């Protein structure tokens, strides 16, 4: 049997042996929501999962099954969207943490692919400090602003990444067969004065579902992004592991 880091494809004995060697597990945290007309709804989950596997290859960590649902309220009326309440995402993270701690995991790493999950991660980790001895860290494209400035040709939409040059480049690097660049577009929606101050959502202000310029995405940019993020995540994990 081919060696794997993913517990879905491992026996209980395989998992226990790996925990004895390196008691670290990674939870890929994603979402199921629209990403324009050129990419699938699973972009955030796919990217979180692929990053997790690459990080695991370099560290020896175990990869838990990816969580495919997140807080996706803004796209709730678009076909295919599955949205959990924010506190439910928080509870799932906590339940996973309590589960893996019982059989010897000492460090849980949440690798997130969906911006709107960040609040859930933050509060879950804070609460776990008072409930558990397990160390938990959460990662979302480390030092992303600097990386965007260095590698992207086009600006973000008010600092947001969604179906844009950034995410499309990453998808071209990991799952090019799922990207239809003939349907890629550029859209920078007008930001209403009440956006962020009311219940107005992203789904009401974008025609294409793209926030940025997906037409400038390339596989080469995505490969560079992947290397940078994987290296930074590995460094974060090894630092956290030394502190256990």
């Amino acid at each position: 049997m081919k060696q794997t880091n993913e517990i879905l494809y491992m026996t209980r004995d395989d998992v226990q042996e790996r925990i004895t060697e390196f008691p670290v597990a990674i939870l890929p945290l994603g979402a199921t929501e629209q990403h324009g007309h050129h990419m699938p709804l699973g972009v955030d989950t796919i990217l979180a999962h692929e990053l997790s596997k690459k990080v695991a290859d370099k560290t020896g960590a175990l990869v838990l099954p990816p969580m495919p649902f997140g807080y996706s309220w803004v796209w709730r009326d678009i076909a295919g969207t599955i949205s959990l309440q924010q506190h439910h995402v928080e509870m799932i993270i906590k339940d996973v943490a309590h589960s893996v701690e019982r059989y010897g995991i000492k460090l849980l790493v949440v690798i997130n692919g969906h911006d709107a999950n960040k609040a859930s991660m933050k509060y879950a980790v804070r609460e776990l400090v008072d409930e558990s001895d397990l160390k938990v860290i959460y990662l979302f494209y480390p030092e992303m602003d600097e990386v965007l400035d260095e590698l992207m040709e086009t600006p973000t939409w008010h600092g947001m990444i969604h179906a844009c040059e950034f995410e499309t480049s990453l998808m071209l690097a990991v799952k090019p067969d799922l990207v239809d660049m003939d349907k890629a577009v550029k859209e920078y929606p007008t930001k209403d004065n009440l956006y962020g101050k009311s219940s107005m959502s992203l789904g009401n202000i974008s025609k294409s579902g793209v926030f940025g310029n997906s037409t400038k995405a390339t596989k080469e940019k995505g490969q560079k992004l992947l290397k940078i993020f994987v290296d930074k995540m590995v460094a974060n994990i090894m630092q956290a592991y030394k502190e256990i």
Side-chain angles (χ1 to χ4, degrees):
M1 182 183 295
K2 182 180 177 182
Q3 187 174 19
T4 178
N5 294 313
E6 298 186 78
I7 69 167
L8 271 178
Y9 309 108
M10 301 169 69
T11 67
R12 56 183 289 179
D13 301 316
D14 295 333
V15 173
Q16 188 59 63
E17 181 180 351
R18 294 287 292 279
I19 291 173
T20 302
E21 296 170 356
F22 191 65
V24 179
I26 301 173
L27 172 64
L29 188 61
T32 300
E33 61 177 33
Q34 77 82 32
H35 277 78
H37 297 285
H38 67 297
M39 293 196 296
L41 281 83
V43 164
D44 295 340
T45 306
I46 292 167
L47 293 179
H49 194 197
E50 292 299 319
L51 278 167
S52 297
K53 289 190 290 183
K54 291 180 182 298
V55 168
D57 286 341
K58 288 182 174 291
T59 61
L62 292 165
V63 179
L64 306 179
M67 174 59 192
F69 307 132
Y71 180 66
S72 300
W73 181 86
V74 296
W75 309 117
R76 65 198 185 284
D77 295 324
I78 295 177
T81 303
I82 304 293
S83 181
L84 302 185
Q85 294 180 46
Q86 185 170 312
H87 68 280
H88 287 173
V89 179
E90 179 183 335
M91 292 305 299
I92 288 170
I93 295 169
K94 290 177 59 178
D95 283 348
V96 170
H98 287 303
S99 293
V100 299
E101 183 182 26
R102 291 184 65 87
Y103 46 80
I105 293 295
K106 302 298 184 184
L107 171 64
L108 175 65
V109 182
V110 183
I111 292 183
N112 178 41
H114 177 50
D115 187 79
N117 287 335
K118 288 193 294 186
S120 298
M121 292 192 298
K122 179 174 72 174
Y123 295 121
V125 171
R126 286 182 177 180
E127 292 180 15
L128 283 165
V129 169
D130 298 326
E131 300 174 9
S132 168
D133 293 327
L134 178 72
K135 188 174 184 66
V136 186
I137 63 172
Y138 53 100
L139 305 173
F140 179 68
Y141 300 124
E143 300 177 32
M144 183 171 64
D145 291 342
E146 293 85 346
V147 175
L148 289 170
D149 289 341
E150 178 184 352
L151 295 178
M152 297 295 98
E153 292 182 53
T154 60
T156 63
W157 183 82
H158 302 284
M160 175 181 161
I161 55 164
H162 192 80
C164 52
E165 179 185 4
F166 175 83
E167 284 194 321
T168 304
S169 292
L170 285 170
M171 281 294 290
L172 286 170
V174 300
K175 296 288 183 183
D177 54 315
L178 298 181
V179 182
D180 186 350
M181 288 302 290
D182 290 336
K183 295 181 179 179
V185 300
K186 170 186 176 181
E187 184 182 357
Y188 287 86
T190 300
K191 187 176 182 181
D192 190 281
N193 288 334
L194 290 178
Y195 177 72
K197 306 178 184 69
S198 70
S199 60
M200 182 182 297
S201 74
L202 297 174
N204 300 129
I205 64 176
S206 170
K207 296 178 180 178
S208 67
V210 171
F211 289 76
N213 189 350
S214 59
T215 69
K216 294 296 184 180
T218 68
K219 179 179 180 179
E220 291 70 27
K221 291 175 186 174
Q223 290 172 332
K224 290 179 181 178
L225 289 168
L226 281 175
K227 184 180 186 311
I228 290 171
F229 291 133
V230 169
D231 288 347
K232 290 182 182 297
M233 288 179 175
V234 168
N236 291 154
I237 290 170
M238 297 315 296
Q239 177 183 342
Y241 184 66
K242 289 178 182 178
E243 296 172 357
I244 294 176

